[in-house]
Amino acid sequence: MKSQIRIFIIAIFPFLLMSCQDDEEQATTWISLGEVQNDYNGSGETVIQLDNGEVLIPTNTIPHYDDDERIALSFSNYEEGAAEFEATVYNTKDVLTKDIVKLTEENEEELGNDPIHVHEQDIWISDKYLNIYFEYLGSGYVSHFINMATDEENKYDKNGRLILTFKHNAYHDYMHYWFPGLVSFDMESLREGNETSVDFVVLIKDYDKTIVVWEDTYEFGAENKSSHHLKDIPTTETIK
């Protein structure tokens, strides 16, 4: 019996070793947002300007993106604090980017008022963008409409902060499965004059009928660097 136990342990040891190696690989993989530059400093080299200000130089070929196109990417060999660093890029995905719109009688129905799920830690500002990682219920066959809107008739709260409402139109889709999504809203689209900043609050209606409230101040024209890392890269194509 003892010899059988030793054989069993020896047999499973390679699998335990592989599992440990997988954990180590996962621990060194980062997921961030950035913008593509196809002619970095006139070199003809394609790089990604990460939201924290660092420049990632891919050591492998990545799909083609236009200049300044916003993407999510996973990569290894991250040198935290380096102005530039080389890294292996595993996966990339273009990020939905939109201006903030005004809610009107004409577009109210189209923008929708369906619930959506967002954790407060999954909202953040980087560069000129307000980024939101969200989850929604759907069938996977219907494209959901995502927006951020201001209401001219209810523009500010009692503290004088601009009210932004995260809008979702599910188009009566069946709520069968949870899907992740990612969107970046251009905060510069809020500028109306020479103002230097705006205090704002984001309102998000969740599926349990509660309202998630997130507040911050955006400084127009500021770099707003962010080291926020994503939990994953949403691959769903059913948002617009």
Side-chain angles (χ1 to χ4, degrees), residues 171-190:
Y171 295 109
H172 307 290
D173 191 15
Y174 292 105
M175 296 190 295
H176 287 169
Y177 311 103
W178 283 104
F179 293 94
L182 178 65
V183 61
S184 293
F185 294 105
D186 188 348
M187 293 293 288
E188 292 291 323
S189 62
L190 289 174

Side-chain angles (χ1 to χ4, degrees), residues 36-48 55-58 67 84 86:
V36 175
Q37 303 296 328
N38 286 314
D39 188 19
Y40 182 56
N41 289 338
S43 65
E45 192 172 32
T46 296
V47 303
I48 297 97
V55 174
L56 184 155
I57 304 172
D67 276 333
E84 300 178 6
E86 294 184 345

Side-chain angles (χ1 to χ4, degrees), residues 88-107:
T88 301
V89 177
Y90 297 121
N91 191 21
T92 63
K93 178 74 168 62
D94 58 298
V95 175
L96 179 65
T97 58
K98 311 189 80 168
D99 288 344
I100 296 172
V101 300
K102 293 181 179 180
L103 181 66
T104 65
E105 291 184 0
E106 289 74 22
N107 67 13

Side-chain angles (χ1 to χ4, degrees), residues 7-235:
I7 292 171
F8 175 74
I9 293 174
I10 292 172
I12 68 171
F13 180 77
F15 297 98
L16 293 174
L17 181 59
M18 290 172 61
S19 177
C20 292
Q21 289 174 339
D22 289 342
D23 290 342
E24 290 175 358
E25 290 177 1
Q26 291 175 3
T28 58
T29 300
W30 303 78
I31 304 176
S32 297
L33 295 177
E35 295 185 357
V36 175
Q37 303 296 328
N38 286 314
D39 188 19
Y40 182 56
N41 289 338
S43 65
E45 192 172 32
T46 296
V47 303
I48 297 97
Q49 179 87 46
L50 299 179
D51 281 0
N52 63 3
E54 298 171 4
V55 174
L56 184 155
I57 304 172
T59 58
N60 57 310
T61 302
I62 66 172
H64 175 75
Y65 294 97
D66 293 334
D67 276 333
D68 302 322
E69 188 166 356
R70 191 156 177 77
I71 66 170
L73 67 157
S74 61
F75 55 93
S76 64
N77 307 324
Y78 177 42
E79 297 180 21
E80 190 170 4
E84 300 178 6
F85 65 96
E86 294 184 345
T88 301
V89 177
Y90 297 121
N91 191 21
T92 63
K93 178 74 168 62
D94 58 298
V95 175
L96 179 65
T97 58
K98 311 189 80 168
D99 288 344
I100 296 172
V101 300
K102 293 181 179 180
L103 181 66
T104 65
E105 291 184 0
E106 289 74 22
N107 67 13
E108 183 175 8
E109 182 176 355
E110 178 66 10
L111 293 180
N113 194 36
D114 292 315
I116 198 162
H117 183 66
V118 180
H119 293 286
E120 290 184 28
Q121 65 269 25
D122 289 330
I123 312 174
W124 72 100
I125 288 177
S126 57
D127 194 21
K128 65 178 181 178
Y129 294 108
L130 173 64
N131 309 286
I132 302 182
Y133 181 101
F134 57 91
E135 296 172 314
Y136 62 97
L137 286 166
S139 66
Y141 297 102
V142 176
S143 290
H144 291 217
F145 198 32
I146 302 297
N147 286 279
M148 188 70 72
T150 61
D151 184 352
E152 295 299 307
E153 296 184 2
N154 185 32
K155 195 168 185 178
Y156 301 98
D157 68 6
K158 62 181 181 181
N159 295 316
R161 299 173 300 184
L162 179 68
I163 299 173
L164 303 178
T165 304
F166 195 29
K167 305 295 289 183
H168 174 211
N169 188 343
Y171 295 109
H172 307 290
D173 191 15
Y174 292 105
M175 296 190 295
H176 287 169
Y177 311 103
W178 283 104
F179 293 94
L182 178 65
V183 61
S184 293
F185 294 105
D186 188 348
M187 293 293 288
E188 292 291 323
S189 62
L190 289 174
R191 179 177 273 180
E192 297 179 343
N194 297 322
E195 65 269 38
T196 58
S197 65
V198 57
D199 297 326
F200 68 95
V201 58
V202 178
L203 306 181
I204 305 165
K205 185 174 75 171
D206 208 334
Y207 287 93
D208 61 2
K209 298 182 180 180
T210 61
I211 302 296
V212 175
V213 179
W214 192 85
E215 60 185 36
D216 205 343
T217 298
Y218 176 76
E219 296 182 5
F220 293 104
E223 290 185 349
N224 296 313
K225 294 179 180 178
S226 170
S227 297
H228 187 96
H229 292 287
L230 300 174
K231 63 184 73 174
D232 56 48
I233 299 179
T235 57

